[in-house]
């Protein structure tokens, strides 16, 4: 609900558990008065105190009042060059060469339903689900207007934000920074939590106290990156899964981003999030508008767990689209870790028969099926089948797979081109690279210039031809290198600062076109695993390959970190062979299953190497996936114990929304002699109900399981447990 008081120019955004308030003061400065646990309302600007602070200058409207400074007031969307020296939200370069952005309130309007963003991902919602507030600000001297967009999803405590920057003057304006989100906090006594790592070690949780100055994470790699996720949190120092106020902020964007937090001089704090200003410069001609990506904010007054669950619910209902919102994802088998590039028709078919016999539902042909690709140094861009490997083509292969009772899926990497390809030979100027400059290669490949319509058109036609000529019900959309030499022949020299963002818009445009032309095709996002695991991609690809690291023990940390913002049912998770390709570790098949069963489940190994006993276990795992999918898809997720370097077990719980059934998963780490007796305290159950646990005839009261905990059996190294709880 949005309460608008026009007289006081006061806007109060009320959600189920939180309040967010904005006020335009007597000078038109847009103040942020409060965000946190729900309050009854009223004008909270009375919380703001004024004092004469040396070296904090006073805007013209303040006259001689030295207590009024943009440098000390909590701002809703900070300007720059006009007296607020904290993190800026907006940086403009005007035609006279000045760099000032100083915004004042013009007006505000409410709309029912959630605003939409043209050509960019955004949460969606009808009048029943969401409301929109649009506040217009203006820098009168620059003739630039800023529309701040707010979407309020009351039931989910979700507030989305975006900004539209409009050049209302008659000379061009250059935009050097346009944040999606600016959030001021009255106290900097906060912890900053980020999700960091690298390729094969994505989204590890890092927590640090705010120190004076700016701390930031971001990406200048052209993708949201393996290194830092565009999701960050701030929380009270004592906050944990169940306690304390915490804030989560996500950017729905798959390119360069920055999330920065500043502990300021008076021990207040500011968070900004948006497109990274690195090499960003966007020219707005008179009358033109620039729209920022959307940011999603969620505050939980009761710890991280509830924040995550609210994000999960909101993503499932208002970000994932169409049929994939509810439909069970098929159990897939992927050829990559089974054969890499080394296969032909007969080998694939043998593999498919084995998969079908075990009950797998979707056969995914990964890299290596096109052009003359036998390693990763050729053929990207030549999206036609390699007839030496697959003489009958994809049409015939998909028919054979379908005849085995499985769907057929295909790997593509449509944003890339190999120099050793017909596409590159025909169009060497279609790559991102300044003319005459030597290439920087990544995995031997170059990046196509997706800012250009003709490039996207060519790729669309090539992909559509594949989709029209074979029965392909799944695409794995991969992307295996970072962007360098970011320069497009299609833009003049003064506008090259637009290329990074135009590239992302180009990727979104093509994804949307493919999606719309093939609404029943499931697209799984992938960027060398989790290099683009963000809410922007989820809008187009309802599942994303979590990591190229399929080691079940490493996956515990990767999936744990990912779960803070993203629902388990969006995380691609496969059982692979041992010793694991990445770590050399051998983990029992049962445990590999326990970990993968918490995501979008599949197998990625040569099934021909399985013993009869292992095959029986695989069949049981497939059955287990079918039985638990709905709970995992629609239930609530509880992180019970975090993955631990000292080897203590990691535990998590899925609980149905009526709290009558739940699924406990536990994986033991390294084991040392003389281990302690361990109990794990469950959460989210009904304390008054009694639950029957798998293999235990005596029911357990919910309050005992939650307050005293469930006594774990002695698990050996890397062993696991998967227990159902059913209310009597
Ligand atoms: C990177 C992906 O993450 C892998 O799963 C696989 O598809 C390879 N690319 C293929 O080149």
């Amino acid at each position: 609900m949005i309460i608008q008081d026009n007289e006081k120019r006061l806007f109060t955004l009320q959600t189920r558990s939180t309040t967010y308030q904005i006020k335009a003061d007597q000078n038109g400065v847009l103040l942020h008065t409060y965000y946190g646990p729900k309050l009854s309302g009223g004008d909270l600007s009375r919380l703001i105190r004024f004092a004469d602070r040396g070296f904090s200058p006073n805007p013209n409207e303040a006259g001689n009042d030295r207590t009024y400074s943009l440098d000390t007031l909590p701002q809703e969307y900070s300007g720059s060059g006009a007296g607020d020296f904290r993190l800026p939200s907006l940086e403009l370069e005007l035609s006279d060469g000045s760099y000032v952005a100083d915004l004042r309130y013009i007006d505000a309007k409410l709309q029912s339903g959630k605003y939409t963003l043209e050509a960019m991902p955004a949460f969606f919602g009808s009048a029943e689900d969401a409301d929109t507030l649009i506040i217009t600000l203006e820098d009168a001297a620059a003739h630039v207007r800023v529309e701040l967009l707010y979407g309020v999803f009351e039931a989910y405590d979700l507030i989305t934000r975006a900004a539209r920057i409009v050049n209302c003057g008659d000379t061009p304006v250059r935009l050097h920074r346009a944040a999606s989100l600016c959030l001021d906090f009255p106290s900097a006594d906060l912890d900053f939590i980020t999700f960091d790592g690298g390729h094969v070690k994505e989204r590890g949780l890092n927590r640090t106290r705010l120190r004076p100055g700016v701390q930031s994470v971001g990406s200048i790699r052209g993708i949201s990156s393996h290194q830092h996720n565009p999701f960050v949190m701030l929380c009270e120092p004592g906050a944990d899964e169940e306690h304390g106020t915490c804030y989560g902020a996500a950017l729905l964007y798959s390119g360069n981003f920055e999330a920065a937090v500043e502990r300021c001089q008076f021990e207040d704090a500011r968070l900004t999030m948006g497109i990274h200003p690195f090499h960003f410069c966007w020219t707005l001609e008179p009358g033109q508008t620039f729209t920022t990506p959307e940011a999603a904010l969620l505050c939980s007054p009761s710890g991280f767990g509830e924040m995550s669950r609210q994000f999960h619910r909101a993503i499932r209902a208002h970000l994932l689209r169409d049929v994939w919102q509810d439909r069970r994802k098929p159990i897939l088998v992927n050829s990559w870790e089974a054969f890499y590039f080394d296969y032909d028709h007969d080998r694939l078919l043998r593999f498919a028969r084995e998969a079908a016999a075990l009950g797998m539902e979707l056969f995914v042909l990964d890299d290596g099926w096109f052009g003359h690709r036998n390693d990763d140094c050729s053929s990207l861009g030549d999206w036609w089948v390699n007839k030496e490997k697959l003489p009958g083509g994809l049409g015939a292969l998909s028919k054979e797979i379908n005849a085995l009772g499985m769907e057929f899926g295909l790997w593509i990497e449509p944003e890339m081109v190999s120099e050793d390809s017909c596409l590159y030979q025909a169009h060497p100027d279609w790559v991102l690279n300044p003319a005459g400059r030597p290439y920087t290669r990544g995995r031997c490949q170059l990046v196509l210039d997706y800012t250009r319509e003709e490039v996207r058109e060519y790729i669309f036609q090539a992909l559509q031809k594949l989709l029209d000529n074979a029965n392909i019900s799944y695409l794995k959309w991969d992307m295996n290198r970072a962007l360098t030499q970011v320069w497009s022949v299609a833009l003049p020299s003064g506008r090259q600062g637009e290329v990074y963002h135009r590239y992302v818009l180009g990727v979104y445009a093509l994804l949307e076109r493919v999606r719309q032309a093939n609404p029943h095709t499931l697209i799984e996002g992938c960027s060398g695993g989790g290099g683009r695991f963000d809410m922007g991609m989820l809008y187009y690809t309802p599942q994303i390959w979590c990591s190229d690291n399929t080691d079940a023990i490493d996956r515990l940390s990767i999936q744990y970190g990912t779960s803070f913002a993203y629902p388990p049912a969006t995380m691609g998770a496969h059982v692979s062979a041992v010793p694991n390709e990445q770590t050399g570790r051998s983990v029992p098949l049962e445990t590999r299953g326990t970990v993968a069963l918490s995501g979008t489940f599949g197998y990625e190994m040569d099934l021909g190497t399985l013993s009869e006993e292992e095959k029986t276990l695989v069949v049981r795992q497939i059955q287990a996936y079918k039985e638990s999918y709905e709970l995992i898809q629609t239930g609530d997720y509880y992180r019970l114990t975090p993955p631990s370097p000292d080897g203590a077990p990691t535990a998590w719980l899925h609980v149905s929304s009526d709290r009558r059934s739940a699924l406990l998963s536990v994986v033991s780490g390294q084991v040392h002699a003389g281990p302690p007796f361990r109990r794990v305290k469950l959460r989210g159950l009904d304390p008054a109900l009694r639950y029957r646990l798998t293999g235990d005839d005596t029911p357990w009261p919910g309050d005992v399981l939650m307050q005293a905990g469930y006594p774990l059996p002695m698990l050996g190294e890397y062993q696991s447990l998967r227990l159902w709880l059913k209310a009597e």
Side-chain angles (χ1 to χ4, degrees), residues 336 366-367 411 443 476 478 480 526 528-529 545 548:
W336 182 243
D366 209 282
D367 199 349
W411 177 96
R443 207 192 190 202
K476 178 174 174 186
D478 204 350
N480 281 300
C526 177
W545 182 225
D548 275 349

Side-chain angles (χ1 to χ4, degrees), residues 595-649:
V595 176
L597 279 163
S598 263
T600 62
F601 186 59
Y603 291 82
E604 182 151 350
M605 63 198 301
D606 184 353
L607 302 171
T609 61
L610 291 174
S611 66
E612 285 310 310
E613 199 186 328
E614 286 173 324
K615 284 185 184 165
T616 309
L617 183 50
V618 167
V619 171
R620 281 218 308 274
Q621 288 173 340
I622 286 174
Q623 190 53 32
Y625 175 74
K626 291 180 183 163
E627 283 162 11
S628 59
Y629 182 80
E630 201 185 327
L631 177 66
I632 292 172
Q633 170 78 17
T634 61
D636 289 334
Y637 181 70
Y638 290 82
R639 292 175 291 266
L640 301 180
T641 57
S644 131
D646 73 8

Side-chain angles (χ1 to χ4, degrees), residues 349-360 606-609 615:
L349 217 66
R350 243 190 338 268
F351 183 50
R353 281 196 203 100
E354 284 156 357
L358 293 170
M360 295 172 201
D606 184 353
L607 302 171
T609 61
K615 284 185 184 165

Side-chain angles (χ1 to χ4, degrees), residues 32 74-75 86-87 182-190 210 213 234 260-272:
H32 175 76
Q75 306 277 334
R86 295 165 295 173
L87 284 167
C182 170
L183 190 60
D184 278 2
F185 293 84
S187 162
D189 197 12
L190 294 170
L210 286 191
L234 285 166
V261 57
E262 181 172 2
R263 182 182 173 110
C264 312
Q265 58 176 332
F266 303 116
E267 286 165 30
D268 50 338
R270 171 172 295 166
L271 171 71
T272 58

